Amino acid sequence: MYEYKGYKPPRNGWAISRTKMEQWDKEGRLHFPKSKDGRIQRKRYLDELKGKPVSDLWDDIGQIAAQSHERLDYPTQKPFALLERIINASSNEGDLIADFFCGSGTTLDVAERLGRKWIGADLGKFAIHTTRKRLINTQRQMKKSGCDFRAFEILNLGKYERQHYIGVNLGLREEEQQKQLKKKEADFVSLIIRAYKAEPTDNFKTFSAKEAGRLVAIGPINMPASRLFVEEVIKECIEKHITKLDVLAFEYEMGLFPKIQEDAKAKGIDLALKHIPREVFDKRAIERNQIEFHDVSYIEVKPHIKKGIIAVELTDFSVYYNQDIVDNVIASLKNGSHKVLVEKGNIIKVLKDKDGIVKREVLTKHWTDWIDYWAVDFDFESKKEIKRVVNDEGKFDEVWTGDYIFENEWQSFRTKEDRSIELKSVEHECQKGRRKIAVKVVDIFGNDTMKVIDIKV
C-alpha cells in the first residue's frame, strides 16, 4: 500500500507495484487528475489492443449521409467503408474483383484505390455513366496524390447480345436454319413492340406496329438502320398518306440526322427516330414498364487546327425527347401539385395551383443544360475492336468486328461539387495527314450520342 505523487491508493491498494507505476509514468502512460482525491488512470491506445474478430453483424458502418461528399444520389449506392472492408478481408493487392451489378461503381472505386484489378458490368446505361464519371474522378485524385492507376475501357456488349438473340443452330440444314432465323427475327419484333407498348399491325411493307396514332417501323437487329431503310419507310408513308412515323433502331447510320428529319418534314411527315435501349432484353424491366425509348440527339462540333495542334469545340447539342403528352399530364394533375416532364427537347415543370390554374416553367435554359459529359478521341480509327472466334480446328482466331473502340483521350463532365462544363478540349498534338476524330456526348438521362468528323492536319 503506497501513495504516488500525493495520490492516495484505492481502498484495496494499487493493482500494480511501485516499480511498474514508475515505469508507466516514465513512458507517459498515466493520466493524473487535477484533484489529488481523484484516481490515477492508465492510458490505453486502440492500436495496441488485440480487439475481437468482426462478427457477421456489421452495425458500425452507417448509411451515407445526405450531405456527404461520397453521396452520388444513386438509389442502390453502398458506403465506401463497407466495400473497403469486404475487399480488404477477401482479396490481396493485384487480385481481380468483379461486380456484375456495379450500379454507382463503389466496388470498382474501392478496388482501384486498393490496387486491385476489376471488371464491372450493368444493364443500365445510367449506372455505367455514373461509374465512368466516378472512376475518372478517382483517377484524377490518385494522379494528384502521386499514386499509380490503370486506364479502363467501356465495352458495349449490346451488339453481341443481339447476335446471340438471333443466333441459329449451325448444325441444321440451310432450309431449317432459315426457318429458325425467321422465327427468331419475328420474336425479336414482338419483343420490341411489347416494350414500346404498341399494337402489332399488318398489311404494310415496312411498318410493324402502331402506337398513339403513329405507325412504327423497326430497324434491323444486327446492323445500323441505314438511310436507304429510312427512305423506304418514308416512301411507304407517302404512298399510303401516313403523316406520323416512329423508327426504332439500336443504331443509325452516321450522318443520317438531322437531315433525314428535315427531308421527311418537307414531305409532310412527322418523323421521330428513337433508340432501342439495351434494357429490352431484360424481361423484368419490360414487366415493370421500365423501358424508355429516347429520341436521337444531334451534335455539332468545330475543330480548331493550327500547325499540327488540334482542339475540338462543342458548339451545339440538340435533343428531341418527348417523355409525356403535356395535355395528359395536366389532366391528371391535382390542384396544388406539379410534375416535371420532357417535351420537344425541353425539360418543363408543369404546375397547377390550388385554383386549378396551370403554369409552365422551362427548366432547360440553354442547350448546354442537357450535357452531363463529353469526350474526344483524337484518332478514332487507331484501335480496332477485335473479337476471338473459334475456327474449324478448335483454335481461336482474332477477327475485326468492323467497329472501333472509342478512347476517352480528353473529357469534361459535371460533378456534384462542380456543375460547370468546358466546351473546348485541350490542344492535342497530331501527326500530319487525314484522320477521324470522334466526339461522344452523354446527356443528363445517361444516353450517349457520337459524331465522327474527318479532318486534315
Side-chain angles (χ1 to χ4, degrees):
M1 190 81 67
Y2 63 92
E3 288 188 10
Y4 191 74
K5 291 188 175 182
Y7 290 89
K8 293 180 180 180
R11 180 181 298 177
N12 295 325
W14 304 107
I16 58 173
S17 66
R18 177 181 287 274
T19 303
K20 191 69 172 178
M21 182 77 82
E22 291 172 348
Q23 180 188 338
W24 283 359
D25 191 6
K26 186 178 181 180
E27 293 174 355
R29 291 182 173 272
L30 297 179
H31 170 71
F32 296 96
K34 294 180 180 179
S35 173
K36 293 294 183 179
D37 294 328
R39 181 73 60 83
I40 299 175
Q41 300 288 329
R42 178 188 175 189
K43 295 179 182 177
R44 293 174 179 266
Y45 298 93
L46 286 176
D47 59 355
E48 296 175 344
L49 301 177
K50 290 183 178 180
K52 64 177 182 179
V54 177
S55 69
D56 57 2
L57 176 62
W58 296 354
D59 57 1
D60 59 320
I61 298 176
Q63 295 181 345
I64 302 172
Q67 302 302 319
S68 172
H69 290 296
E70 180 184 341
R71 190 177 188 88
L72 298 174
D73 292 324
Y74 192 90
T76 59
Q77 183 182 358
K78 306 296 186 297
F80 186 96
L82 176 63
L83 272 300
E84 186 177 38
R85 178 178 292 177
I86 293 172
I87 291 175
N88 265 326
S90 58
S91 68
N92 298 311
E93 190 171 341
D95 284 352
L96 178 62
I97 306 297
D99 185 349
F100 298 109
F101 305 91
C102 64
S104 66
T106 304
T107 301
L108 312 186
D109 187 6
V110 174
E112 182 66 35
R113 293 177 190 268
L114 294 180
R116 273 68 164 171
K117 293 176 284 187
W118 50 263
I119 297 173
D122 204 290
L123 273 175
K125 56 181 175 287
F126 187 67
I128 297 299
H129 179 50
T130 302
T131 300
R132 167 171 45 198
K133 292 205 303 179
R134 180 173 187 168
L135 289 170
I136 292 172
N137 208 33
T138 294
Q139 289 182 339
R140 289 178 176 178
Q141 293 174 17
M142 294 176 73
K143 182 179 181 180
K144 193 174 181 179
S145 302
C147 301
D148 292 334
F149 58 87
R150 298 179 180 87
F152 66 89
E153 290 181 348
I154 297 178
L155 302 177
N156 179 1
L157 301 184
K159 297 177 192 174
Y160 308 123
E161 191 172 27
R162 287 181 249 156
Q163 290 168 1
H164 175 73
Y165 191 88
I166 61 166
V168 296
N169 184 352
L170 298 178
L172 297 175
R173 290 179 300 173
E174 179 67 26
E175 183 180 348
E176 293 298 319
Q177 285 186 28
Q178 291 302 318
K179 285 183 179 178
Q180 191 179 59
L181 179 61
K182 189 174 181 179
K183 182 181 183 305
K184 288 203 169 191
E185 288 177 342
D187 290 343
F188 164 72
V189 171
S190 297
L191 174 73
I192 302 302
I193 291 173
R194 182 185 171 200
Y196 199 57
K197 304 183 189 69
E199 297 178 15
T201 186
D202 298 318
N203 304 318
F204 291 103
K205 290 186 294 183
T206 61
F207 303 116
S208 303
K210 58 182 178 179
E211 197 275 329
R214 303 177 68 90
L215 284 174
V216 180
I218 300 173
I221 185 173
N222 55 352
M223 64 182 67
S226 65
R227 177 175 293 276
L228 182 62
F229 170 80
V230 179
E231 286 175 345
E232 282 296 312
V233 176
I234 292 174
K235 181 180 177 182
E236 187 172 9
C237 283
I238 295 170
E239 290 172 354
K240 299 186 177 178
H241 308 289
I242 296 163
T243 58
K244 295 181 180 180
L245 163 67
D246 291 349
V247 175
L248 314 180
F250 285 102
E251 298 171 274
Y252 291 91
E253 178 184 304
M254 287 184 182
L256 183 62
F257 38 79
K259 182 73 167 56
I260 195 73
Q261 287 110 317
E262 294 169 358
D263 291 346
K265 187 176 181 180
K267 296 172 183 176
I269 299 168
D270 177 10
L271 169 63
L273 303 178
K274 296 176 180 285
H275 285 292
I276 300 173
R278 294 191 297 274
E279 289 87 347
V280 294
F281 296 110
D282 184 353
K283 292 181 180 178
R284 292 173 300 177
I286 295 178
E287 290 168 358
R288 296 171 184 171
N289 292 322
Q290 294 175 336
I291 306 297
E292 291 187 26
F293 291 73
H294 286 289
D295 297 62
V296 298
S297 306
Y298 177 70
I299 303 171
E300 195 68 60
V301 298
K302 180 180 180 182
H304 297 268
I305 307 171
K306 185 178 179 181
K307 296 181 179 179
I309 302 295
I310 300 175
V312 177
E313 182 182 359
L314 189 62
T315 58
D316 196 8
F317 180 66
S318 301
V319 295
Y320 306 95
Y321 294 170
N322 287 286
Q323 187 185 54
D324 294 296
I325 299 174
V326 177
D327 292 340
N328 293 345
V329 171
I330 293 173
S332 64
L333 272 181
K334 296 180 180 179
N335 290 1
S337 62
H338 69 272
K339 183 176 181 180
V340 175
L341 54 91
V342 180
E343 181 191 42
K344 296 180 181 178
N346 283 317
I347 299 179
I348 299 172
K349 185 176 183 180
V350 179
L351 307 95
K352 185 182 283 188
D353 66 18
K354 61 181 181 180
D355 299 319
I357 298 174
V358 176
K359 294 182 180 179
R360 300 186 188 189
E361 180 185 355
V362 179
L363 301 181
T364 43
K365 307 297 183 183
H366 194 259
W367 62 267
T368 54
D369 294 340
W370 282 97
I371 300 171
D372 191 60
Y373 169 102
W374 75 289
V376 181
D377 185 341
F378 291 96
D379 192 4
F380 180 54
E381 294 187 347
S382 64
K383 193 171 184 181
K384 293 181 177 180
E385 183 183 63
I386 304 295
K387 67 177 181 179
R388 300 178 71 201
V389 296
V390 180
N391 59 27
D392 295 337
E393 299 176 357
K395 297 180 180 180
F396 284 101
D397 289 334
E398 291 190 344
V399 179
W400 179 36
T401 65
D403 288 330
Y404 299 92
I405 294 175
F406 181 92
E407 294 193 88
N408 296 266
E409 296 186 86
W410 177 88
Q411 64 274 314
S412 178
F413 57 89
R414 304 184 197 274
T415 64
K416 186 178 179 182
E417 294 78 19
D418 184 4
R419 302 303 298 162
S420 64
I421 194 162
E422 299 173 71
L423 295 177
K424 187 177 180 181
S425 75
V426 296
E427 294 183 336
H428 186 86
E429 187 174 348
C430 299
Q431 294 181 351
K432 291 183 177 181
R434 300 204 72 84
R435 65 173 55 220
K436 285 184 169 62
I437 293 178
V439 177
K440 180 176 286 188
V441 175
V442 180
D443 67 24
I444 55 179
F445 291 117
N447 300 307
D448 60 89
T449 306
M450 188 169 75
K451 179 169 186 173
V452 180
I453 58 174
D454 188 58
I455 66 163
K456 183 177 180 181
V457 180

